[in-house]
Amino acid sequence: MRTLATVFGLVGALVFSAGIASAAQPEPWQMGFQPAATEVMEFVHWFNNFTLIIITAVTLFVLALLIYCVVRFSKRNNPEASKTSHNTMIEVVWTVVPILILVVIAVPSFRLLFMQQVIPQYDMVIKATGYQWYWGYEYVDEGMEDVAFDAIMLSDEERAEKMASEGLTEKDVPRLLATDYNMVVPVDTTVLVQVTAGDVIHAFAMPAFGVKIDAVPGRLNQTWFRAERTGIYYGQCSELCGKDHAFMPIAVQVVTKEQYAVWAEAAKSDVDEANAKLAALIKKEKVAAAKGADDTLTVAASN
């Protein structure tokens, strides 16, 4: 029994890990939010569910009142119409109760706004500039001033070539979301993002992070995120900016701090070389992890 429990536990862990990796992008026929990758987005999930419960209860209550009134005061059940013009208690209740409901909703709403707007002590700064129709990223921290690149959506031909050359699947390189360069950041690190635009108004939006802020020419807006899980997360420009508005995605690759240190050191001289080193390192670690899991399963099965 212990062996079976170990095997099922390992299998469950692998499935769960795969679920997290696949949760970095929208899914076909998805109805709700993408899984949260930050504390802010987790609160957004909670607040959404919280308000859904409240509005569902209010809707059902109003529906019950309507049904009651239709039945109770129908011509058949109430042939003589009431002459009542007002009821003080009812008027007090339907004034006070909505106020209390709105206060209950407002308190966590203000807390969420505070979390999104008040930037905590940050560990690194990246400037994101929107253009028609791509994003430019500049690493502002000391020693990283020369690291800058543009991220352009992969065409279908480039996407197919990338999958063939690197042995990737369609899920690894999602259509209309994958870019030739990703913003690379370390996990569990507070990142300040300075957002602006070089031509017209754009918007930097990353659903899994709970981030959305306008990119306005001549103005520097600021937002932040702290990703809690590694993976590649996708967003898009969320402000109508021209004919290719739908084709300027945002890709943020969250890696371990050790992986980021390797990438950052190489990126100071060559971003392409840094990306190649990062991809090789991630692939090597995945192979090692898979081999370790297979060895553990083999030992568990033999016991």
Side-chain angles (χ1 to χ4, degrees):
M1 291 298 292
R2 183 176 299 176
T3 300
L4 286 175
T6 303
V7 172
F8 284 126
L10 289 170
V11 172
L14 290 173
V15 171
F16 181 72
S17 299
I20 289 178
S22 66
Q25 56 186 274
E27 300 290 339
W29 298 101
Q30 182 174 340
M31 297 293 291
F33 293 128
Q34 293 182 34
T38 65
E39 183 182 3
V40 171
M41 193 58 195
E42 287 176 356
F43 196 91
V44 171
H45 278 232
W46 177 87
F47 186 63
N48 175 72
N49 296 333
F50 175 69
T51 53
L52 179 61
I53 291 172
I54 291 177
I55 64 177
T56 300
V58 170
T59 301
L60 292 176
F61 177 71
V62 172
L63 177 62
L65 284 179
L66 287 173
I67 294 174
Y68 172 78
C69 291
V70 168
V71 175
R72 172 66 180 81
F73 299 105
S74 65
K75 184 176 181 180
R76 183 180 61 184
N77 295 329
N78 194 54
E80 186 176 345
S82 173
K83 300 298 191 295
T84 303
S85 61
H86 68 278
N87 185 299
T88 303
M89 179 56 68
I90 291 179
E91 291 179 1
V92 170
V93 169
W94 74 34
T95 301
V96 173
V97 171
I99 291 174
L100 294 177
I101 293 174
L102 291 175
V103 169
V104 169
I105 294 176
V107 171
S109 174
F110 289 144
R111 183 188 171 197
L112 178 58
L113 287 173
F114 180 85
M115 291 175 65
Q116 292 176 320
Q117 298 298 322
V118 178
I119 299 174
Q121 182 65 38
Y122 50 87
D123 304 305
M124 61 183 295
V125 182
I126 298 176
K127 182 180 179 181
T129 305
Y131 301 98
Q132 291 178 309
W133 289 271
Y134 60 93
W135 290 92
Y137 301 113
E138 301 173 51
Y139 286 69
V140 182
D141 296 313
E142 183 177 355
M144 296 286 288
E145 298 92 340
D146 296 331
V147 180
F149 51 85
D150 296 330
I152 302 172
M153 186 190 77
L154 294 178
S155 66
D156 289 342
E157 293 76 14
E158 292 170 332
R159 181 169 165 265
E161 182 181 345
K162 184 178 180 68
M163 288 190 292
S165 62
E166 300 182 19
L168 302 174
T169 66
E170 291 188 357
K171 198 171 188 64
D172 296 324
V173 192
R175 185 172 182 271
L176 304 182
L177 289 176
T179 58
D180 54 355
Y181 290 90
N182 300 332
M183 179 199 293
V184 181
V185 298
V187 71
D188 293 326
T189 301
T190 302
V191 181
L192 173 68
V193 185
Q194 298 176 334
V195 183
T196 188
D199 36 47
V200 299
I201 298 177
H202 301 276
F204 185 90
M206 183 59 59
F209 295 169
V211 167
K212 182 177 180 182
I213 190 167
D214 284 342
V216 183
R219 177 171 178 170
L220 199 64
N221 289 331
Q222 295 188 139
T223 186
W224 70 281
F225 65 85
R226 184 183 179 88
E228 299 175 343
R229 287 187 288 276
T230 59
I232 302 179
Y233 299 90
Y234 297 97
Q236 289 180 303
C237 174
S238 295
E239 185 73 33
L240 186 60
C241 56
K243 70 180 184 68
D244 285 342
H245 159 68
F247 307 107
M248 53 180 298
I250 302 164
V252 179
Q253 185 170 8
V254 182
V255 298
T256 65
K257 293 184 178 181
E258 294 75 17
Q259 292 169 346
Y260 178 77
V262 173
W263 179 87
E265 186 61 33
K268 293 176 183 178
S269 55
D270 190 332
V271 175
D272 289 318
E273 181 184 352
N275 289 340
K277 284 187 175 181
L278 179 61
L281 182 59
I282 292 174
K283 185 175 181 180
K284 180 180 178 181
E285 292 180 359
K286 281 185 177 180
V287 170
K291 186 177 183 301
D294 289 341
D295 292 342
T296 304
L297 285 171
T298 302
V299 172
S302 63
N303 291 333

